[in-house]
Amino acid sequence: MKTVQQLKQALPEQFDRMIKFDKREIDNPDVYHHARLNYLDRLYKTLAVFRARFSKPEEILVADIGCAQGNLSLLLAEAGFRVTALDIDPDYLAYAEKKYEKGNIQWVQGSFDKQDLPGFYDVVVLGEIIEHCAYPEDFIEKALAFLKPGGILWVTTPNALMFRNHLPTFGQLQRREDRKFLEEKQFGPDGEDHLFLFTLSDLKLILPKGVVLKKAGYLGGTVLINRRTTFFLRVLPKSWLLGLERLVANVPVLNRLTCHGLYAVLEKNKTTQN
């Protein structure tokens, strides 16, 4: 996957916001920057879970819903997975295509529930989406229809219990009628407008029938690595920093209060019919 710095041609202004995100996160020249470390932890944890589950990635069909800059889609394709990268914004897809180097990947513009591929995928990725939906349980239900029996949904979302959060939890707005007022605010541009956030317990509240929560945990780095502490962490080898974030993600209480994100592996019942 090409970095922003490797894209030699002058990029159109329409890509400015994507470049801004990538320069802060995956392509940040400061390898100790907390935003880069947090973003990479989410990407690498996803790759690790998929590699552990699937020994023959070339046989696995993955749909990355709302792929944005395409970083996860591109990394999965490079790891051997067969990827459909889908986004409603054609500018994101055009930008992501410019970074392509190798792998089996298809770019699709549009809303995933308008695609005629039910029961087709082994994996559906919902990365940082459900916190933007007034009715995330419905979104999970739609995504489930695109999975083969025995397939998995990979869901990531911000952690509601991180100590700097001031939004309500999904559990506090569990009744559908309490979320009616959020309909006009959902799906804000460029990842804006989080409506509420989830705890690990809240994730169980949006599971439809025919799905089992196989695994869940913390990711996305820790607020313990920030602009202030990074000054001191620069004495450590670069290779240690992502390991430090993984360590914090596995320490009870510390992970719950300081990690940026959650992940969940949801498995579709093998007897479910589409």
Side-chain angles (χ1 to χ4, degrees):
M1 175 173 62
K2 295 177 183 176
T3 65
V4 168
Q5 292 82 1
Q6 290 174 316
L7 296 176
K8 300 183 186 303
Q9 71 273 31
L11 295 177
E13 185 177 330
Q14 71 195 74
F15 298 143
D16 284 354
R17 67 187 190 277
M18 299 84 163
I19 293 170
K20 178 182 177 182
F21 293 147
D22 275 351
K23 282 186 174 181
R24 174 175 167 81
E25 298 169 336
I26 193 168
D27 295 329
N28 195 321
D30 181 1
V31 297
Y32 288 91
H33 195 282
H34 60 281
R36 176 182 179 274
L37 294 170
N38 295 342
Y39 187 74
L40 289 178
D41 181 73
R42 192 168 79 220
L43 291 181
Y44 292 166
K45 178 62 179 179
T46 304
L47 285 168
V49 169
F50 286 18
R51 284 170 169 157
R53 185 176 180 96
F54 303 110
S55 60
K56 297 180 178 179
E58 68 278 3
E59 298 179 359
I60 303 302
L61 298 172
V62 180
D64 185 7
I65 308 302
C67 67
Q69 301 103 280
N71 294 321
L72 179 59
S73 294
L74 290 163
L75 289 173
L76 287 171
E78 290 177 1
F81 293 91
R82 298 162 62 189
V83 180
T84 298
L86 188 146
D87 203 283
I88 201 167
D89 188 333
D91 287 345
Y92 273 112
L93 295 175
Y95 172 74
E97 283 189 81
K98 290 183 179 296
K99 299 193 294 181
Y100 173 84
E101 289 189 304
K102 64 179 182 178
N104 188 330
I105 189 166
Q106 177 185 14
W107 307 98
V108 178
Q109 190 269 322
S111 175
F112 89 97
D113 57 349
K114 300 293 193 297
Q115 307 304 309
D116 187 25
L117 294 170
F120 185 75
Y121 294 100
D122 301 285
V123 181
V124 171
V125 175
L126 300 180
E128 313 301 295
I129 291 177
I130 60 173
E131 66 275 10
H132 299 281
C133 309
Y135 307 107
E137 60 271 49
D138 294 350
F139 206 83
I140 293 285
E141 186 83 52
K142 290 177 182 178
L144 180 65
F146 286 80
L147 280 174
K148 299 175 182 177
I152 66 167
L153 291 178
W154 170 258
V155 179
T156 68
T157 189
N159 173 23
L161 296 181
M162 192 179 72
F163 71 86
R164 293 189 300 186
N165 170 50
H166 301 294
L167 287 172
T169 67
F170 178 80
Q172 292 170 325
L173 297 171
Q174 183 179 350
R175 298 191 311 164
R176 291 179 70 93
E177 55 267 34
D178 290 341
R179 288 176 266 146
K180 182 75 173 175
F181 76 101
L182 295 172
E183 290 180 4
E184 62 184 30
K185 297 173 61 177
Q186 63 182 342
F187 303 117
D190 294 338
E192 296 176 1
D193 297 332
H194 290 176
L195 305 181
F196 37 70
L197 298 182
F198 290 82
T199 67
L200 283 183
S201 296
D202 287 340
L203 292 175
K204 298 176 183 178
L205 301 176
I206 60 173
L207 300 187
K209 293 180 180 179
V211 164
V212 176
L213 178 61
K214 298 294 289 186
K215 189 176 182 181
Y218 295 88
L219 48 58
T222 170
V223 295
L224 297 177
I225 297 179
N226 54 56
R227 283 177 293 183
R228 295 179 180 84
T229 62
T230 301
F231 175 81
F232 301 100
L233 293 173
R234 290 179 186 276
V235 300
L236 298 176
K238 291 178 290 187
S239 59
W240 287 21
L241 294 177
L242 287 171
L244 179 60
E245 294 202 314
R246 278 290 88 216
L247 176 64
V248 173
N250 289 293
V251 177
V253 181
L254 197 59
N255 54 14
R256 178 166 53 89
L257 297 179
T258 75
C259 284
H260 288 280
L262 310 174
Y263 74 87
V265 178
L266 314 179
E267 183 177 87
K268 183 174 181 178
N269 193 312
K270 293 182 179 179
T271 62
T272 299
Q273 298 297 317
N274 294 297

